Every structure is written in C-alpha cells, then in structure tokens.
Amino acid sequence: MAHVVAAFLGVVIGLFPIVNPLGMAPIFLRLTNGSSDKVRAALAWRVAMGGLFLMIASLFVGSHILAFFGLTVASVQVAGGMVLVASGWRLLQQGDDGKRREQLSRVSEDVMLTRAFFPLTMPLTVGPGTISVAITLGAKSAGSGDLLFETIGTLLGVATVAGGIYLSYRFADRLLSVLGEAGRDVFLRLSAFILLCLGVQIVWNGYSALMAGLPH
C-alpha cells in the first residue's frame, strides 16, 4: 500500500502543477469562444482523455520512443517550448477588437471538435514540460521494485490529473463567471503571459541541456 501511495503522490505532485488545468481554463474558454456548452463538454472530455493517454505513454514508453527516433528530452523541450511561446504571444497580443475577430473566425462545431488534440491537448494542456517530467518519472520508477503496486499508484495519479483537466475545462465558464467580463480578460492576459514565460523557460531548459552535452 505504501508503494501505491508513494507512486500516486509522486505523479500528482510532479505533473499537476505543470499541467495547471485551472490556469489553462481561461485559455480553453478563449479558444472555444462561441461554442455551445455541449461542444465544450465534449472537448473537455476529449482533452482529458487525450492528456491521460499522453501522460501514460510518456511515463511508460516515452524514453523508448525518443530513443527509437534518436531524440532527446532536451530537443522535445526546445521544440515544444517554441510552440508554447507562439501560442502565448498570440493570445497576449489579442487587443480590444479580439471579440470582433473571434466572431469572424468562429468555426463549425465539427471543426472545433477536430482541434481537441491539437492544439488543446498538446501542447497547451499536456505540453513538453509535462512530457519531459513524465518521462523522467517513468525512468526513475522503471528500475525500482514492487512494479505492480507502483504501476497502480502511477495510473491512479495520472487519472487524478486527467480528472482535474476535465473538471477545470468542463466548468471553466462557471469558475470564471464570478470575475466578470473585465476580470476574465485580465485573468486571460495573465494566463497567456504565464504560458509565454513557461514556454521561454522550457526552451531555455532544453537549450541549456543541449549545450551542456557539447564537448568542451
């Protein structure tokens, strides 16, 4: 039982702050602007399930996939961080005419549902930071004993993180309704800025790791 709890806490503590579903809720709302409650609910479920499978794959086979393609975690961080920087910058630069542009750029429900994996699941929700941490956690637990109990704890931890994603996105409009229109806009700008900073930090971490691997 102790191994189950330890693995569960390790995954939740390691992944939940990076995924940060509450912080991403206003960005989810902005990117699904104009969608019905039914479509948002479907998107929240698909993003949560997509995030669940991505985290499980990263934890258990992520290092093997990278090795197969000759990639490193650092390269994933640089590439994924650049995508986050671009997304954060785009959201941050939306001006007061953002609503008018959104009205012009609204898409059908079927098209919106196709965006569940990219960009809503990856890289905005389960991005390079989450994947790299998950790969690291998986590599650490691979050589330890009590594999069955640790696997159970790991799966429970990932399911908890995915549940947090679903609840935060499914009820994002209700969570943010107390802020009012102006408050939601401020919260969105802050979330976009944090996303931008997170992308820069991930790029820097990957770049530093790549540079450290060069011969002196």
Side-chain angles (χ1 to χ4, degrees):
M1 188 64 183
H3 293 284
V4 174
V5 174
F8 171 82
L9 292 177
V11 170
V12 173
I13 294 174
L15 296 182
F16 197 87
I18 301 177
V19 176
N20 190 20
L22 289 174
M24 293 302 299
I27 295 179
F28 174 80
L29 276 181
R30 175 60 64 90
L31 294 177
T32 58
N33 183 69
S35 300
S36 65
D37 185 67
K38 179 181 178 181
V39 171
R40 277 199 176 126
L43 283 171
W45 176 255
R46 292 189 183 189
V47 171
M49 291 298 100
L52 175 69
F53 290 121
L54 272 177
M55 288 184 285
I56 289 176
S58 300
L59 280 162
F60 293 104
V61 297
S63 59
H64 301 291
I65 293 176
L66 292 183
F68 178 79
F69 288 103
L71 302 175
T72 63
V73 173
S75 63
V76 173
Q77 288 178 320
V78 172
M82 292 174 65
V83 175
L84 289 182
V85 168
S87 300
W89 179 258
R90 184 174 62 253
L91 289 169
L92 192 62
Q93 290 300 307
Q94 288 185 347
D96 295 333
D97 61 337
K99 287 186 177 181
R100 181 180 63 82
R101 293 202 305 270
E102 287 169 0
Q103 291 283 349
L104 295 175
S105 61
R106 285 179 181 174
V107 297
S108 66
E109 294 184 351
D110 291 337
V111 173
M112 181 61 69
L113 289 173
T114 63
R115 299 177 179 177
F117 184 77
F118 183 86
L120 292 177
T121 301
M122 189 181 75
L124 292 178
T125 303
V126 179
T130 305
I131 292 173
S132 60
V133 171
I135 291 175
T136 302
L137 291 173
K140 286 182 179 179
S141 62
S144 60
D146 298 303
L147 183 60
L148 175 60
F149 294 105
E150 290 195 357
T151 300
I152 294 174
T154 297
L155 292 176
L156 290 175
V158 174
T160 299
V161 177
I165 294 172
Y166 174 74
L167 293 175
S168 298
Y169 287 6
R170 174 66 181 87
F171 303 106
D173 54 343
R174 302 179 191 178
L175 291 173
L176 300 176
S177 61
V178 295
L179 299 176
E181 190 65 28
R184 288 175 63 172
D185 185 67
V186 170
F187 195 18
L188 171 68
R189 301 303 176 100
L190 290 175
S191 299
F193 181 69
I194 292 173
L195 181 66
L196 176 63
C197 294
L198 180 63
V200 172
Q201 183 64 55
I202 291 173
V203 170
W204 177 254
N205 291 343
Y207 173 79
S208 300
L210 290 174
M211 292 300 100
L214 292 178
H216 296 288

